[in-house]
Amino acid sequence: MKCKAIPRFALAAGAALFLWLSCQSACAQSAHAESIPQAPPQAALRVATWNVHDCSASNKKTGQTFLLHAQIARTLHELKIDIIALQEIQVEGRKGADIQLLQNALEHEGWPMPFAAWVKSPQADDLAILSRFPIAQNQVVLEPSKAPWPRPVLEAHINIAGRELVLYNAHFKAFDDAKSLAARRAQASALASLLRAQYGDRIKRAAIILAGDFNTIMPEDMAPHTGTLDMLQLRDNEDPSDDFLSANFKWRYPEPTFISTRYSSITDHLIISPALAAHAGKNDIAIVDAPDSGYGFPLSDHKILILSLLISDLPLLSR
């Protein structure tokens, strides 16, 4: 059975549905505001990235549609994910209402993730961050506009028991042609420059994770200093003290994160700042196969990357 993303839903009562979903989300967030996980500093935190390849699929032969929010929510619950960066998701007003539907499914699962940030992509494959902990602030950076890259980056500052984690969620340009490679390199360089400008010397002490599908599919993406991955790891200069680290590339190489009928590759990464890298090791990063949807195909062609860290590894929020 060949599956593809569901076309835009024709919702006769779209306005009413959106209002109902918004109300449900507001009620859920309010209900959980007083029950945010109050983990002790030594507790483990599980941060993940996953290109879900849409939360729905259809059978082209029969026209049957499959909504996968419940299965995705169950997976996040079973893996005990506290914070997740999602790519290829459809935010409200696109093909459905994936954010609200996922949060409702997670609530039903008994694993609420009431805090969310998202951004629409000009290419209709959106980005989102869901969290069990409050997202204190978020913003969109590296908007495409006249830049060579097609999608923005989502930045979120998350308050975890009085400590701060900064998560960047990205989905870089795909394909193995020269123009696509140049777009990836340009966006990686721009993100590295943004981090240096925004944090200065604090970049060595801040808890920062770059998460997402960076489409590092070519040997040139892995080239020292000038490749997409090295630029994302801030290894494009002579100062090793600010180097980031792709945890899965370091400790799970050559395990692929994407598998199709044509090829497999290490396209997805969890890239961590120096302060986090100092405490991380090979047992802290996992690559998990996307489970079966229950309809005879996996939930995604991308695997789930999970980083475990201690809350005590995060810096205290500045007062």
Side-chain angles (χ1 to χ4, degrees):
M1 177 167 59
K2 186 176 181 179
C3 297
K4 66 180 185 61
I6 299 177
R8 185 187 301 273
F9 290 132
L11 299 176
L17 175 62
F18 180 78
L19 182 62
W20 181 83
L21 286 169
S22 298
C23 179
Q24 293 296 308
S25 177
C27 291
Q29 185 150 325
S30 175
H32 288 283
E34 296 180 359
S35 59
I36 298 167
Q38 298 298 318
Q42 292 303 314
L45 182 74
R46 289 169 69 80
V47 182
T49 185
W50 190 13
N51 183 328
V52 290
H53 194 55
D54 289 330
C55 297
S56 53
S58 65
N59 186 314
K60 291 203 301 185
K61 292 183 178 179
T62 66
Q64 184 180 8
T65 60
F66 310 93
L67 296 180
L68 306 174
H69 304 88
Q71 293 91 326
I72 292 171
R74 187 177 309 118
T75 300
L76 298 182
H77 184 193
E78 290 174 351
L79 294 174
K80 297 295 186 288
I81 304 301
D82 295 301
I83 302 165
I84 187 162
L86 296 166
Q87 303 87 46
E88 291 199 33
I89 193 167
Q90 308 303 328
V91 307
E92 283 67 6
R94 286 287 172 91
K95 303 179 193 176
D98 284 345
I99 308 299
Q100 302 292 348
L101 292 173
L102 263 179
Q103 287 185 306
N104 290 345
L106 285 158
E107 172 77 14
H108 182 74
E109 261 300 308
W111 192 255
M113 301 182 82
F115 304 99
W118 62 87
V119 58
K120 289 185 178 181
S121 165
Q123 293 195 326
D125 285 320
D126 305 322
L127 300 169
I129 293 171
L130 298 184
S131 174
R132 287 167 52 77
F133 295 90
I135 297 176
Q137 59 177 304
N138 66 88
Q139 65 175 338
V140 180
V141 298
L142 303 185
E143 294 253 30
S145 185
K146 296 181 181 179
W149 50 80
R151 307 179 188 93
V153 175
L154 178 61
E155 173 187 334
H157 295 249
I158 304 169
N159 182 342
I160 303 167
R163 296 169 183 266
E164 183 180 58
L165 174 69
V166 187
L167 180 62
Y168 291 84
N169 183 11
H171 186 185
F172 279 13
K173 182 75 171 67
F175 306 126
D176 59 357
D177 58 283
K179 185 176 180 180
S180 297
L181 173 63
R184 288 194 293 275
R185 283 174 163 172
Q187 192 164 21
S189 178
L191 184 52
S193 296
L194 181 148
L195 291 172
R196 290 190 175 107
Q198 184 166 318
Y199 293 94
D201 194 60
R202 288 192 303 115
I203 202 167
K204 302 170 186 177
R205 302 183 297 276
I208 303 169
I209 298 177
L210 312 183
D213 178 1
F214 296 102
N215 273 306
T216 46
I217 59 176
M218 298 172 64
E220 292 85 349
D221 283 306
M222 307 302 189
H225 304 299
T226 61
T228 307
L229 184 57
D230 259 19
M231 283 191 278
L232 287 169
Q233 295 181 111
L234 278 68
R235 294 181 176 176
D236 54 341
N237 64 10
E238 299 301 323
D239 181 7
S241 67
D242 67 355
D243 284 1
F244 280 45
L245 176 73
S246 171
N248 55 292
F249 191 78
K250 169 70 175 178
W251 289 303
R252 290 290 179 260
Y253 181 84
E255 187 173 352
T257 66
F258 169 84
I259 298 178
S260 74
T261 56
R262 296 185 296 112
Y263 70 96
S264 62
S265 62
I266 306 173
T267 66
D268 309 86
H269 297 269
L270 283 170
I271 301 172
I272 55 180
S273 60
L276 292 178
H279 298 284
K282 63 181 181 180
N283 295 326
D284 298 319
I285 183 71
I287 302 177
V288 179
D289 290 338
D292 189 85
S293 62
Y295 299 108
F297 57 88
L299 288 175
S300 175
D301 46 10
H302 286 257
K303 298 187 180 186
I304 309 161
L305 277 62
I306 307 170
L307 175 73
S308 297
L309 51 88
L310 294 178
I311 293 178
S312 57
D313 294 341
L314 308 178
L316 292 168
L317 280 166
S318 56
R319 301 296 181 184

